[in-house]
Amino acid sequence: MTQIIDGKIISTQIKDELKSKASELKAQNIEVTLAVIQVGNDPASTVYVGNKKKACEYIGINSLSYELEESTTEEELIALINELNNNEKVNGILVQLPVPKHINEDAIIKAISPLKDVDGFHPQSVGALSIGQKGYVSCTPAGIIQLLKRSNIEIEGKECVIIGRSNIVGKPMSLLMLRENATVTIAHSKTKNLKEITKRADILIVAIGKPKMITREYVKEGAVVIDVGIHRLESGLCGDVDYDDVAPICSAITPVPGGVGPMTIAMLMNNCIESALQ
């Protein structure tokens, strides 16, 4: 029987744990504040920002919201980030990506103080992860580790294949799996013999950005499959994995929606709580 890894349930457990931590901090007169900046009104970004605000409210974290016009310049955005970097009451700063094309995303990520980089995207955070030092870890990969651990899935010694090499998921995911003593292979759009490589995986993590690309031909029987993708098709939401085709041969799989997605926000909240303990 395939285990369905329920990200909604696990993320709620984490948020409840964080709620009690936030309450303990309040008892010590420590307030946690997250500043969220959105430039423009991309509909998907607006939904994500709304979900982050709801999570803050649920846990007992203050949230400051900055909704800026599409025409906001890079200089204006960096000036706001600097103001928040210098505001002692703000623990975490998050700029909702993507930003409009006239703004350099890399410059924005670097402008956020590493001490307040709750998204875990700053080069200093990434560098700390790569050499095993303390720092913020990007939220989706951190959430996947929690999904595996809280579902009692053994990572140590397992062969893990990650499809995708983005800075936000693929690369940090590989470092976290190495930290957990997995044997890691990263595959990507230029990988040859992809099916042969993915069929070796005990744990297959898919973040390739193509709807339903991964069918059972790519998956070893009994593997654990983590689907990071999310796509809005006419038939509804789906992931990078053809769930109906793959689920019957897995030992465990994440659904889309309701798998990895809720974990990203839960781990963002975890980073916010951590930011208050610096």
Side-chain angles (χ1 to χ4, degrees):
M1 186 72 179
T2 304
Q3 178 185 356
I4 311 301
I5 301 173
D6 192 328
K8 286 182 186 169
I9 289 175
I10 295 171
S11 67
T12 301
Q13 286 168 358
I14 291 170
K15 286 192 283 191
D16 285 342
E17 289 163 16
L18 295 171
K19 194 176 189 175
S20 84
K21 279 189 189 171
S23 173
E24 285 167 23
L25 288 169
K26 269 188 184 158
Q28 299 164 43
N29 292 320
I30 300 170
E31 291 274 352
V32 185
T33 301
L34 170 67
V36 180
I37 305 169
Q38 181 183 356
V39 185
N41 53 5
D42 175 74
S45 291
T46 302
V47 170
Y48 290 137
V49 167
N51 287 341
K52 286 162 187 172
K53 285 182 196 165
K54 279 183 203 156
C56 285
E57 200 175 319
Y58 181 81
I59 288 162
I61 293 174
N62 301 324
S63 71
L64 303 175
S65 189
Y66 298 87
E67 279 135 21
L68 308 181
E69 296 290 331
E70 183 92 18
S71 58
T72 301
T73 66
E74 188 176 308
E75 291 72 22
E76 287 168 332
L77 179 53
I78 288 175
L80 172 58
I81 291 168
N82 286 334
E83 190 184 307
L84 295 167
N85 282 338
N86 295 321
N87 184 338
E88 286 179 12
K89 290 184 177 173
V90 172
N91 308 93
I93 302 168
L94 183 152
V95 177
Q96 183 64 42
L97 302 177
V99 287
K101 287 191 172 63
H102 64 275
I103 296 173
N104 180 328
E105 195 168 281
D106 195 40
I108 299 311
I109 289 168
K110 286 177 179 167
I112 297 169
S113 163
L115 296 174
K116 300 189 179 189
D117 169 40
V118 286
D119 254 337
F121 295 162
H122 192 282
Q124 189 170 313
S125 304
V126 177
L129 174 61
S130 71
I131 58 172
Q133 290 188 355
K134 194 170 166 49
Y136 294 112
V137 177
S138 55
C139 303
T140 300
I144 291 168
I145 295 291
Q146 287 299 316
L147 279 180
L148 293 168
K149 287 186 168 181
R150 289 172 186 248
S151 302
N152 299 313
I153 291 165
E154 183 80 26
I155 303 174
E156 187 168 324
K158 293 298 169 73
E159 183 137 6
C160 171
V161 176
I162 298 161
I163 314 180
R165 53 179 166 178
S166 72
N167 291 338
I168 291 172
V169 180
K171 289 176 189 170
M173 191 74 246
S174 67
L175 292 165
L176 284 179
M177 292 303 277
L178 282 172
R179 188 188 277 185
E180 298 295 332
N181 299 317
T183 300
V184 179
T185 301
I186 302 178
H188 45 77
S189 57
K190 300 289 187 285
T191 299
K192 291 177 180 171
N193 306 322
L194 182 62
K195 287 177 188 170
E196 287 172 29
I197 290 165
T198 57
K199 279 200 105 139
R200 296 201 312 253
D202 302 309
I203 301 171
L204 180 61
I205 299 172
V206 187
I208 203 164
K210 293 183 178 174
K212 297 190 180 183
M213 178 186 152
I214 300 303
T215 58
R216 64 172 60 202
E217 296 164 351
Y218 290 84
V219 181
K220 177 169 84 173
E221 192 147 346
V224 174
V225 177
I226 305 291
D227 188 353
V228 182
I230 187 155
H231 309 276
R232 196 175 295 279
L233 305 181
E234 280 181 19
S235 54
L237 293 175
C238 74
D240 292 349
V241 175
D242 186 336
Y243 182 88
D244 292 336
D245 190 45
V246 170
I249 68 161
C250 295
S251 61
I253 189 168
T254 56
V256 175
V260 173
M263 296 300 294
T264 301
I265 290 180
M267 298 317 290
L268 170 68
M269 296 297 111
N270 179 68
N271 283 353
C272 290
I273 294 286
E274 288 293 316
S275 70
L277 302 171
Q278 298 276 5

